[in-house]
Amino acid sequence: MQDHLSKIWKGPIGLIASIAVLILLFSVLNPRFASVENLQNVLFQVSVPLIILVGTSMVILMGSIDLSAQGVMGAAGMTWILLSPNTRLEIDLGIWAWVAALGLGLLLGLATGVIYAKLRVPSFVVTLGTWYVGLGIGIILYGNGMLPSLTDEALARWPTRLTLGLPNSFWLAAFVAVAGALVMQFTHLGRGILAIGNNELIARSSGLPVSLMKVSVFGLAGLLSALAGILATMQLGSGSPDIGNGQLFTVIPAAVIGGTALSGGEGGMMRSTLGVFLLIILNNGLVLAGINPDYQSGVFGAILIVAIVAVAWPERSRLKVAK
Amino acid sequence: MNLPAKLREMASWHTMSPLLVFLAMLLTVSVLNSAYLGPLGISIVTASAAPILLVALGQAMVLNIGSIDLSNAAISLLGSILLALALPSLGIGSLLAILLLLTLIGAINGAIVAYTQVPSFALTLGTLGILQTAALVASGAETIYVSENRELVTMFYTYKLANAPLTFWIGVAVAVLYWFVLRFTVLGQNMTAVGKNETGAIFSAVPNRLVKIVTFAISGFTGGLAGLSIVAQAGSASTSGLGSNLLLPGIAAALVGGTSISGGLTNPINVVFGALTVAFVPIAIQAIGAGAEAQSLVYGIFIILVVALTTARTRDAVIK
Amino acid sequence: MRIFDRLLPEHNKRLKMLLASALTGGLAYIAAIAPATAATVDKKDMVMVVSVINTTNPYMISNIEGAKALSEKLEIPLEVVNSNNSSQTEISSILSILASGKKVIMFVNTVASSDAPTIVDAVKQAGGYVTIWWNKPTDYKPQSVGDNFVAFQKIPGVESGRCGAKAIGDALGGKGSVVMFPGVQDSTTSKTRVAGFKTEMKEKYPNIKILDERPSNWDPQLAARNAKDLIVKYGSQINGVWSADDGMQIGAMQSFENAGLLDKVKFASDGLYPKTLEDIKSGRGGNAIVGETFHRGYMASAVGLYTAYLAATGEVVPSTLPPEKRESLFKLSCVTPSNYQQYLQYDEPDAPKQFVERLVKNGPWNTEPMPLVGGGSNEQGEF
């Protein structure tokens, strides 16, 4: 019975049930919660963290961690807006702005991956460094000039405009999430990630190109963080090196709550997605219920603790090593 | 072990590198302007380094057992706020009570990690959130100025020995104490055993759960001392002012001080140099004239570089 | 990477030790034989310092411009401190400049009120002179510290809040509901502006209801998010939005525009930032912005630095100054879409330079458009 219960809880059913309970609770506390407008609002808010999460999930599944998202977002976001129609510079490079920004993210990710895989610096440290480096690039790009705001109305409106009733930004995020799930499920890389996360030594000795895969995954994570940075910049309508503020403490708990173990090898894209929905709905519901914003981090923290304890409780054993 | 061998072990790259890195940085900057080695310069570096050092020491002890404590900076911030609130009415006794409370909070962290076997990263992330709310509620999102008994706490900052404030020397004393504990006590050796190989430690009847509780409690305790150093310098406490941003510098200082992120390798004395180095980075940047915008960039490159140079690497180990 | 391993092989610890010692020894040798200081010493041995909260906010950027203009005029080198929104960075950077041994003339736009005592004490120890702008602890008076704490200066917050309240109140015809976005909660700047807004509303527009207030830390992004949340919560009930500064207003307006509500709401704030000025000129959102206040960062920093400079040269002895010149309020101008044109001249490219010319001629308390208007006592609830 214990086993059965724990499997159910760990599976997506537990998550979906929790989300359903929250939606019910918040709708009672404030009927506006259940409105179409609010649903669109939630989807809008989920978009940026979800894109980051796809990359971060892959890194975590591999047994590493990625702290660099906020910095890469800042660097890529600033690059993109300075090369797009904005109030500071007269340039409009169109698609090349995207290429430059995404390229920068990819580069930062690949550099991270190489330092991690080849120089054997722990991922915690490298990505901490990349965070600051990305942030630094964003700050330097911002310099002393005036606020770069988007002058192209269409571009600024795009994330909020609705297609088939849902915000465009969500369509982008959903596309990325589905693509990520497909990569995990059907490609060599996806299976390799799980193998490395499960037991790297065995993965290596069975011939997997472990280093190459590690570098690729970090490159991908960097690329996705850059995409998230561009989207966030569009959403705000202006550039800022701090565009990524607060994302790290949304994305990592979302992955953990979604059941992606920080030790690697366990979890999945869909579950991470549910995790991020849970957190955003929680956040949104708290705001609408009129809870003092000061309490927000406390509520998040408590829920995170309850969630991870609930997941780990059935697995307890004297010899288990949890770091 | 005979003397030459012992000296050789001490003089190994890994043991000496944090000190050397700091000295190299100090000398490079002083070439540009020798005033940085003067009394004012030393008192500035050590004053900035003190809270970072204390937070880093707690973190280093937790990293030693292979876990991580993301909440210890929040513990110190809460401590500083509680101290600023309690000092006017309760005097110095409040300091002891608050240290006790914070040590208890740390112990709770440790107990949850030990008994529910959840990853410390996730748990302390959750505790961090709860403590942030606690700090906001306790301070009412306002700055708490120490209105009475101010000198009782600011003396830790103004009283200087060899140009360094008392808060820094408290940090050094704690570092020496922790080094001693790790080296020469059973508890310390148990901690390192848990960090190096927990399964093996369990089989050798090391009380790993107790070790975890004690280690996290230690982190809470040193966090409390960091809170003291914050109030000592600022004469006040607030959730958005001085001391609100110690988590990452603390981790960086522990890493630059040679602490291994996978556990089992910590030298608290080196963490002192790690903290001095981290505190010195903004000063170095200002001295070089790189402009404050470059600070984040330099910080990031620096962390990667230093850890890349000082990380002990064994051939087949899996780096996570 | 084999190259790396070859350079620093794990087993060749002795080689690494040798290299490290050589490096350290070499640097020590250079330090020993190098001339005493490598920095060029200005004949006055002074350095001007401008410390701002960040360099992404237009007001702060303007602070730096003013400092640059004065530094050029007085021919004193300038150091810029970018606090990156962190008190720790601010204090470390300032302390590191003090450690360099020069006599500092400093303008600080503090990140938090509680930073002021730490900074002032350090400047006093180093024998420098500092003017603090905007935020300091209430009971921390320049007179009790000494001449090194030359002055505390600001633009009245209460008046700013009242300005905004009046503009919204009139635009709404005295009836409706508004939401507020204060700045960093425990900053005196934010508190005084919020108090001014609320008082004016209560006294003159009793039928206007304040639905909610969401502190947004002077951050456009946070304000955008909070605005979105409030829009979902109150929808079309919101008729007016007041933000404690233009940075937050810009973020808030973005959210209202995204929600298609921009032309149904009236906005008022403080600062007349470049983007805000543009929006007023273009009549964005059907003239959504109804009230602003005019003051410029370059004026603040120039005045603050010049005051400190006069104290440093002895031309002014702070302890002999009347109270309103130690804790000073400078002129605030209320701006509306109908009178904004007269302020455009202060955004010309050479405006900071011209201001500095007038400043050096007339002194820090008498320079248009920002002369001294009051200060010294707490009756206005400003200090």
Side-chain angles (χ1 to χ4, degrees):
Chain A
M1 191 56 184
Q2 278 266 53
D3 253 15
H4 198 59
L5 268 176
S6 81
K7 284 229 168 60
I8 290 181
W9 176 240
K10 281 182 70 175
I13 298 189
L15 276 171
I16 297 177
S18 314
I19 294 179
V21 165
L22 281 179
I23 292 181
L24 210 63
L25 179 66
F26 287 126
S27 307
V28 164
L29 286 175
N30 185 340
R32 287 188 78 102
F33 181 83
S35 64
V36 171
E37 191 195 354
N38 195 35
L39 170 68
Q40 291 166 347
N41 186 24
V42 169
L43 292 178
F44 181 79
Q45 287 185 348
V46 155
S47 317
V48 168
L50 184 54
I51 295 177
I52 304 172
L53 188 56
V54 173
T56 308
S57 293
M58 289 193 205
V59 171
I60 295 181
L61 285 170
M62 208 169 60
S64 308
I65 191 130
D66 187 355
L67 302 175
S68 64
Q70 289 182 205
V72 177
M73 280 176 75
M78 282 308 301
T79 308
W80 179 79
I81 198 166
L82 286 177
L83 298 176
S84 303
N86 68 81
T87 47
R88 192 195 284 190
L89 299 170
E90 289 299 310
I91 327 176
D92 175 10
L93 293 183
I95 191 81
W96 293 107
W98 288 79
V99 171
L102 291 173
L104 179 61
L106 182 64
L107 201 66
L108 286 170
L110 289 174
T112 307
V114 166
I115 297 177
Y116 162 59
K118 289 294 185 182
L119 291 183
R120 320 235 298 164
V121 179
S123 61
F124 189 98
V125 179
V126 194
T127 55
L128 185 62
T130 314
W131 176 355
Y132 278 104
V133 168
L135 197 58
I137 294 176
I139 293 175
I140 292 177
L141 284 175
Y142 197 105
N144 269 353
M146 66 182 294
L147 180 74
S149 305
L150 273 178
T151 45
D152 182 344
E153 279 305 304
L155 217 48
R157 285 300 130 260
W158 183 82
T160 37
R161 212 156 268 141
L162 303 175
T163 306
L164 298 178
L166 302 176
N168 282 338
S169 55
F170 180 69
W171 284 116
L172 179 62
F175 174 72
V176 170
V178 169
L182 291 176
V183 164
M184 287 305 300
Q185 193 73 320
F186 294 117
T187 64
H188 276 294
L189 183 64
R191 279 191 282 260
I193 290 175
L194 286 172
I196 298 174
N198 230 308
N199 189 325
E200 182 172 334
L201 290 173
I202 291 185
R204 206 182 274 273
S205 47
S206 55
L208 275 179
V210 169
S211 294
L212 184 62
M213 284 187 167
K214 285 182 172 181
V215 174
S216 314
V217 170
F218 273 101
L220 200 58
L223 184 73
L224 289 174
S225 294
L227 182 61
I230 297 177
L231 182 61
T233 309
M234 263 200 271
Q235 283 181 339
L236 183 65
S238 55
S240 159
D242 294 322
I243 199 97
N245 267 6
Q247 292 300 340
L248 186 66
F249 284 121
T250 306
V251 166
I252 305 250
V256 172
I257 289 179
T260 303
L262 287 171
S263 46
E266 213 182 299
M269 213 52 69
M270 280 307 134
R271 286 210 239 142
S272 294
T273 309
L274 287 173
V276 87
F277 265 102
L278 185 82
L279 283 181
I280 298 290
I281 288 176
L282 181 63
N283 183 33
N284 179 268
L286 287 176
V287 166
L288 286 176
I291 306 281
N292 188 335
D294 288 346
Y295 288 103
Q296 192 177 302
S297 55
V299 173
F300 264 47
I303 296 203
L304 179 59
I305 295 179
V306 167
I308 55 175
V309 170
V311 166
W313 192 260
E315 308 271 309
R316 279 155 44 248
S317 119
R318 188 61 187 93
L319 291 179
K320 179 172 176 206
V321 168
K323 298 273 165 185
Chain B
M1 216 190 261
N2 54 22
L3 198 57
K6 246 211 164 122
L7 278 177
R8 215 180 305 148
E9 184 203 300
M10 259 178 56
S12 76
W13 175 249
H14 187 83
T15 320
M16 296 294 285
S17 48
L19 170 62
L20 293 174
V21 166
F22 177 62
L23 284 180
M25 212 180 182
L26 198 64
L27 284 165
T28 318
V29 164
S30 66
V31 164
L32 293 168
N33 187 338
S34 64
Y36 286 108
L37 284 186
L40 191 57
I42 293 184
S43 87
I44 284 171
V45 179
T46 49
S48 307
I52 299 177
L53 172 59
L54 287 162
V55 168
L57 282 172
Q59 191 67 262
M61 296 300 274
V62 173
L63 286 173
N64 188 40
I65 64 167
S67 300
I68 192 163
D69 186 353
L70 295 176
S71 66
N72 68 350
I75 291 179
S76 68
L77 190 63
L78 179 64
S80 70
I81 289 173
L82 291 176
L83 189 61
L85 283 170
L87 209 56
S89 39
L90 297 175
I92 205 68
S94 58
L95 177 61
L96 294 165
I98 290 172
L99 280 177
L100 205 63
L101 173 66
L102 298 178
T103 311
L104 199 65
I105 294 178
I108 294 177
N109 267 340
I112 301 182
V113 168
Y115 283 97
T116 63
Q117 296 173 336
V118 292
S120 58
F121 188 99
L123 174 74
T124 52
L125 194 57
T127 319
L128 168 64
I130 296 179
L131 288 167
Q132 271 177 350
T133 292
L136 279 168
V137 168
S139 64
E142 299 259 337
T143 305
I144 314 288
Y145 294 99
V146 181
S147 44
E148 304 231 348
N149 290 328
R150 223 162 165 257
E151 304 70 36
L152 270 178
V153 75
T154 51
M155 71 148 174
F156 285 103
Y157 176 66
T158 47
Y159 185 71
K160 293 195 174 40
L161 269 176
N163 291 314
L166 216 53
T167 48
F168 178 72
W169 293 115
I170 292 178
V172 171
V174 170
V176 172
L177 173 67
Y178 287 177
W179 175 84
F180 188 85
V181 165
L182 282 179
R183 261 298 173 105
F184 296 113
T185 66
V186 174
L187 176 66
Q189 282 159 358
N190 283 344
M191 287 179 184
T192 311
V194 167
K196 281 208 160 107
N197 184 344
E198 186 164 351
T199 312
I202 297 175
F203 278 123
S204 318
V206 167
N208 64 325
R209 289 189 288 218
L210 183 62
V211 163
K212 287 186 178 179
I213 295 177
V214 171
T215 311
F216 276 91
I218 287 178
S219 178
F221 173 72
T222 1
L225 290 177
L228 169 67
S229 75
I230 295 169
V231 182
Q233 182 169 15
S236 61
S238 110
T239 50
S240 53
L242 199 62
S244 59
N245 219 343
L246 286 174
L247 179 62
L248 293 174
I251 295 178
L255 292 174
V256 169
T259 309
S260 163
I261 200 127
S262 36
L265 195 60
T266 299
N267 187 337
I269 297 186
N270 269 340
V271 174
V272 173
F273 297 112
L276 283 169
T277 310
V278 166
F280 203 70
V281 167
I283 296 179
I285 290 179
Q286 201 77 38
I288 297 176
E293 286 101 27
Q295 190 168 314
S296 287
L297 188 60
V298 172
Y299 212 155
I301 297 177
F302 193 73
I303 289 179
I304 298 179
L305 212 60
V306 171
V307 176
L309 283 176
T310 62
T311 286
R313 282 184 200 79
T314 47
R315 273 248 88 199
D316 281 322
V318 167
I319 306 276
K320 286 238 151 197
Chain C
M1 211 166 251
R2 304 244 178 91
I3 301 174
F4 197 74
D5 274 343
R6 216 172 282 158
L7 273 176
L8 293 172
E10 188 63 353
H11 60 271
N12 209 336
K13 294 182 190 162
R14 236 174 272 159
L15 177 61
K16 279 194 242 177
M17 262 309 303
L18 224 58
L19 284 173
S21 313
L23 179 69
T24 316
L27 283 172
Y29 181 64
I30 295 173
I33 63 168
T37 46
T40 44
V41 179
D42 180 278
K43 58 180 183 230
K44 294 183 210 146
D45 195 27
M46 286 179 183
V47 66
M48 211 177 263
V49 180
V50 57
S51 171
V52 294
I53 299 178
N54 57 54
T55 49
T56 51
N57 181 309
Y59 184 80
M60 312 290 168
I61 295 175
S62 184
N63 277 157
I64 297 176
E65 314 255 277
K68 282 193 186 150
L70 189 65
S71 145
E72 270 173 39
K73 175 77 183 169
L74 296 178
E75 293 177 344
I76 300 177
L78 176 69
E79 296 253 17
V80 176
V81 171
N82 173 2
S83 314
N84 255 325
N85 300 314
S86 153
S87 297
Q88 262 136 230
T89 308
E90 175 194 39
I91 290 176
S92 308
S93 307
I94 290 178
L95 292 187
S96 70
I97 297 178
L98 292 174
S100 69
K102 288 229 192 133
K103 200 184 207 182
V104 300
I105 296 172
M106 197 182 290
F107 159 92
V108 185
N109 191 343
T110 48
V111 174
S113 302
S114 48
D115 299 339
T118 317
I119 295 174
V120 167
D121 283 346
V123 171
K124 185 173 172 186
Q125 259 189 53
Y129 293 86
V130 60
T131 307
I132 305 265
W133 259 80
W134 293 110
N135 294 301
K136 73 160 171 68
T138 320
D139 300 322
Y140 190 63
K141 305 253 174 233
Q143 293 90 333
S144 46
V145 175
D147 282 359
N148 303 94
F149 186 1
V150 179
F152 171 68
Q153 300 171 336
K154 62 183 282 186
I155 307 262
V158 172
E159 198 180 321
S160 162
R162 281 187 178 268
C163 217
K166 183 170 190 321
I168 291 187
D170 285 345
L172 296 183
K175 266 181 26 157
S177 308
V178 299
V179 295
M180 298 169 64
F181 293 110
V184 168
Q185 259 178 298
D186 66 358
S187 90
T188 2
T189 311
S190 177
K191 281 199 271 209
T192 47
R193 290 182 188 169
V194 167
F197 183 85
K198 287 184 175 168
T199 315
E200 181 80 2
M201 279 302 183
K202 197 156 133 212
E203 287 175 5
K204 306 275 179 54
Y205 305 94
N207 287 326
I208 293 196
K209 180 164 183 283
I210 298 177
L211 288 172
D212 211 328
E213 59 181 280
R214 282 293 161 102
S216 300
N217 297 351
W218 314 122
D219 180 4
Q221 265 212 86
L222 188 52
R225 257 182 273 158
N226 283 336
K228 203 162 210 316
D229 289 338
L230 290 181
I231 291 172
V232 175
K233 196 167 172 195
Y234 298 105
S236 46
Q237 276 185 282
I238 304 177
N239 307 116
V241 173
W242 177 83
S243 315
D245 89 335
D246 270 2
M248 298 187 292
Q249 176 169 273
I250 292 173
M253 282 178 73
Q254 183 69 27
S255 291
F256 276 87
E257 190 170 35
N258 285 347
L261 290 172
L262 191 64
D263 45 359
K264 303 199 179 65
V265 177
K266 295 301 172 200
F267 292 81
S269 184
D270 173 287
L272 203 60
Y273 284 9
K275 176 135 188 20
T276 309
L277 193 51
E278 257 184 59
D279 286 346
I280 295 182
K281 278 195 214 166
S282 67
R284 180 177 173 211
N287 291 314
I289 302 178
V290 293
E292 276 291 329
T293 67
F294 174 79
H295 58 97
R296 283 284 170 260
Y298 67 80
M299 299 181 187
S301 58
V303 165
L305 282 169
Y306 195 56
T307 317
Y309 171 75
L310 292 175
T313 57
E315 237 173 284
V316 156
V317 181
S319 48
T320 64
L321 290 173
E324 67 270 9
K325 290 190 176 169
R326 295 303 291 276
E327 285 179 291
S328 311
L329 290 175
F330 286 86
K331 182 158 174 234
L332 175 81
S333 309
C334 262
V335 178
T336 63
S338 52
N339 73 356
Y340 73 89
Q341 290 90 338
Q342 56 181 288
Y343 300 102
L344 294 176
Q345 55 171 308
Y346 299 111
D347 289 329
E348 295 294 311
D350 62 345
K353 215 198 235 160
Q354 299 216 353
F355 182 79
V356 164
E357 294 289 330
R358 295 201 295 277
L359 176 67
V360 171
K361 213 188 304 173
N362 300 321
W365 302 290
N366 275 316
T367 311
E368 289 299 326
M370 203 181 75
L372 185 73
V373 290
S377 68
N378 201 16
E379 62 171 306
Q380 294 161 44
E382 281 292 343
F383 295 118

